[in-house]
Amino acid sequence: MPYSQFTIEDIKTNFDITIDEKFGIFADIQEIEYSGFLKQSLQEYLPLALAINTEKARSELIIMPILVEVKKQLSSKISIFSGKDFSVEPTQGLTGFCDFLISLSPEQLVIEAPVVTLVEAKNDNIQSGLGQCMAEMIAAQIFNQRKGKQIYTIYGVVTTGTNWKFLALKGQVIEIDLNEYFISELGKILGILRWSIMANPE
């Protein structure tokens, strides 16, 4: 089955994954400053995205500008893919498209290992995207292993654009931060995103 059909129970059963729910996994990560351009963009785009209220609008008008800010801050050392096919292991159902995928490589034409962070956009609620995001994280783990990139932790994010929840896959354990971070905490969200990318330097 494609990523979008996975539930948390499927993840636990099919991949022998342990789910570890904790408060404040990323709470100690510092906020970072961001550009006036991003601030101005969100002031303009956020009301429009919420008025349209679709995943596509939230992805294009809220999430992508935030990810581009991270890419700029990292001097374009990463690549961001949107709506890219990431079919890794069809026999296990790990097929389909990822809303956003971040690779620790400047190569933008094709997905290169290591894949470090996956972002799943939802326009309704965070809970509905957790199973899908976890499946994509497991696929990224397999993808990296096949490419000879032994990345210890894969990070995942499920977001409505205004609410952000972060996850971490370590071996056979997926940690879920029970905290949600809100768009009013943009510096914190950017700090966690940047930290999750740079936590696995080559």
Side-chain angles (χ1 to χ4, degrees):
M1 57 185 170
Y3 298 123
S4 59
Q5 294 183 13
F6 277 95
T7 65
I8 295 177
E9 192 58 40
D10 291 331
I11 297 297
K12 292 166 64 177
T13 302
N14 296 359
F15 301 101
D16 193 28
I17 291 290
T18 299
I19 306 297
D20 187 11
E21 300 179 8
K22 298 179 179 178
F23 278 104
I25 296 173
F26 302 93
D28 292 336
I29 297 174
Q30 292 187 348
E31 298 182 14
I32 61 174
E33 297 293 327
Y34 51 92
S35 66
F37 178 78
L38 177 61
K39 181 178 180 180
Q40 182 179 354
S41 296
L42 290 181
Q43 285 177 342
E44 183 175 347
Y45 297 157
L46 186 59
L48 178 60
L50 297 181
I52 296 172
N53 198 31
T54 63
E55 289 179 14
K56 182 176 174 62
R58 289 168 183 260
S59 294
E60 294 176 348
L61 298 174
I62 305 175
I63 302 170
M64 181 56 92
I66 290 173
L67 297 182
V68 169
E69 174 76 11
V70 175
K71 181 177 173 68
K72 287 181 178 178
Q73 291 200 10
L74 294 176
S75 303
S76 297
K77 294 177 181 178
I78 63 171
S79 50
I80 301 171
F81 298 92
S82 176
K84 193 81 169 179
D85 180 40
F86 191 56
S87 296
V88 173
E89 186 51 73
T91 61
Q92 294 180 286
L94 299 177
T95 62
F97 296 82
C98 294
D99 287 337
F100 296 97
L101 182 154
I102 299 173
S103 172
L104 195 58
S105 162
E107 176 60 59
Q108 196 63 68
L109 294 179
V110 295
I111 299 172
E112 294 286 349
V115 173
V116 293
T117 307
L118 301 105
V119 181
E120 179 60 32
K122 289 294 174 185
N123 73 335
D124 47 8
N125 64 78
I126 295 290
Q127 191 71 22
S128 66
L130 290 176
Q132 179 173 352
C133 186
M134 290 176 184
E136 293 169 359
M137 292 164 70
I138 292 168
Q141 186 182 62
I142 295 171
F143 179 81
N144 288 340
Q145 290 170 350
R146 289 178 177 172
K147 295 286 187 175
K149 304 292 185 179
Q150 297 301 318
I151 302 301
Y152 180 67
T153 305
I154 303 292
Y155 294 92
V157 188
V158 182
T159 179
T160 63
T162 54
N163 296 32
W164 295 66
K165 181 175 284 292
F166 294 87
L167 304 82
L169 169 62
K170 301 177 181 179
Q172 293 298 113
V173 177
I174 293 180
E175 297 178 346
I176 304 175
D177 192 337
L178 293 177
N179 287 2
E180 285 187 18
Y181 299 89
F182 304 99
I183 196 67
S184 58
E185 305 170 276
L186 182 55
K188 184 72 168 183
I189 292 168
L190 286 164
I192 297 172
L193 285 170
R194 178 170 172 167
W195 181 88
S196 70
I197 293 166
M198 300 310 295
N200 286 304
E202 291 229 78

